[in-house]
Amino acid sequence: MNTADLIPRKHVARSFGRAASHYDAFADLQRAVADRLLGMLDATPPDIALDVGCGTGYCSAHLARRFSDTQLLALDLAVPMLRAASARVPPQSSLLCADMNALPLQGGSVDLAVSSLALQWCGEPKRVFSELWRVLRPGGRAVLSTFGPATLNELRAAWRAVDEHVHVNRFPGQAQLQQAAAGCGFAATIARDVQLRHYPSLRALARELKGIGANNMNDAGPRGLTPRAAFARAEQEFIKGLTGQGVPVTWELYYLDLRKVR
């Protein structure tokens, strides 16, 4: 079971809504992932393009610049994120406050869907893939990026030495994603990448995660503030991996190319 199945969607919207005003200051990795994802697109302009989980509008702005005659739809669950995106996209773009699990669009109405680092917050991937299949036209395409289960392994290990709570969000694996996409009828290819980013302390990593709204979404984890002593112990475990560059932290990434071939 994926993280977002365990909590109400309003919690996801609230977490990312609170991060909207400072999200871009912490989103270096997110921009790099989006750039690679957008690099997968071909030169043919779609009539209608959908940015699913648009956040502050980084991908939407790219699509608007690259395909100036395309009708752009930017969708996000958090209203503050849409307000931030509105400053980046042309005024004729349509901003939609909605859930990826239930797209408010007619079937067969979209040529291209793009979604960068949003899928992991949306429960079972098959729900999202089913909706993408429904709204895409025959021959339509969806490209998505998402985190893999090895993401934040070092953070997970540090907290495992402190208690048995779930402090780090769980993410679906490649086989689960491939099976879900194929089950919805997509011809799917998935590329995997692993990046190591270095942090001087656990507090620095926690600040980045909070800055982008990626809070712990597990009901199995503790609620409220983490006790200071527990955090201090996790910090001690975390910095055991310290190098001259900082503590290396794993970010496992999947890039999905889904084509509606019939």
Side-chain angles (χ1 to χ4, degrees):
M1 182 176 290
N2 193 22
T3 292
D5 283 324
L6 305 176
I7 61 170
R9 299 296 288 150
K10 64 181 181 181
H11 290 182
V12 179
R14 184 182 304 121
S15 182
F16 286 97
R18 288 173 176 170
S21 63
H22 46 73
Y23 178 92
D24 289 333
F26 295 91
D28 289 345
L29 173 66
Q30 284 68 26
R31 285 188 289 271
V33 172
D35 287 341
R36 172 167 172 173
L37 183 72
L38 292 164
M40 295 166 56
L41 303 180
D42 55 39
T44 304
D47 290 332
I48 299 178
L50 171 65
D51 184 1
V52 187
C54 67
T56 59
Y58 185 82
C59 288
S60 295
H62 174 97
L63 292 169
R65 290 192 302 269
R66 183 169 179 177
F67 304 122
S68 58
D69 295 327
T70 292
Q71 182 181 349
L72 177 63
L73 312 176
L75 180 147
D76 202 275
L77 192 61
V79 171
M81 286 291 192
L82 289 170
R83 291 197 188 105
S86 69
R88 277 181 155 161
V89 299
Q92 65 270 26
S93 304
S94 297
L95 303 179
L96 308 173
C97 185
D99 191 342
M100 290 176 73
N101 289 308
L103 298 173
L105 301 171
Q106 293 183 348
S109 61
V110 173
D111 301 290
L112 171 68
V114 173
S115 181
S116 190
L117 297 182
L119 179 64
Q120 67 271 6
W121 306 115
C122 295
E124 288 298 323
K126 191 170 183 179
R127 298 179 188 175
V128 177
F129 296 158
S130 178
E131 278 295 275
L132 290 173
W133 172 269
R134 181 182 65 81
V135 302
L136 284 171
R137 293 172 179 162
R141 184 184 182 200
V143 294
L144 307 91
S145 60
T146 190
F147 291 125
T151 297
L152 300 174
N153 267 346
E154 296 79 6
L155 177 60
R156 190 175 289 108
W159 277 110
R160 194 180 299 123
V162 176
D163 57 39
E164 296 181 354
H165 293 300
V166 181
H167 292 268
V168 182
N169 296 312
R170 302 184 183 95
F171 305 118
Q174 184 169 348
Q176 182 183 354
L177 294 170
Q178 189 83 47
Q179 183 177 15
C184 292
F186 282 112
T189 58
I190 301 178
R192 177 179 179 268
D193 183 34
V194 175
Q195 294 192 23
L196 289 179
R197 293 171 64 85
H198 293 81
Y199 299 85
S201 65
L202 178 58
R203 191 168 301 278
L205 174 57
R207 188 182 304 118
E208 178 179 306
L209 294 173
K210 182 178 180 181
I212 61 171
N215 296 310
N216 182 17
M217 301 289 186
N218 294 283
D219 277 348
R223 292 298 182 190
L225 294 176
T226 302
R228 188 172 299 176
F231 189 92
R233 184 176 172 192
E235 175 76 87
Q236 291 175 350
E237 292 294 325
F238 183 75
I239 62 174
K240 287 179 179 178
L242 190 64
T243 70
Q245 296 177 284
V247 178
V249 173
T250 302
W251 298 86
E252 183 181 26
L253 298 155
Y254 297 136
Y255 296 87
L256 290 73
D257 190 344
L258 311 182
R259 296 178 186 265
K260 185 173 180 178
V261 293
R262 57 178 173 82

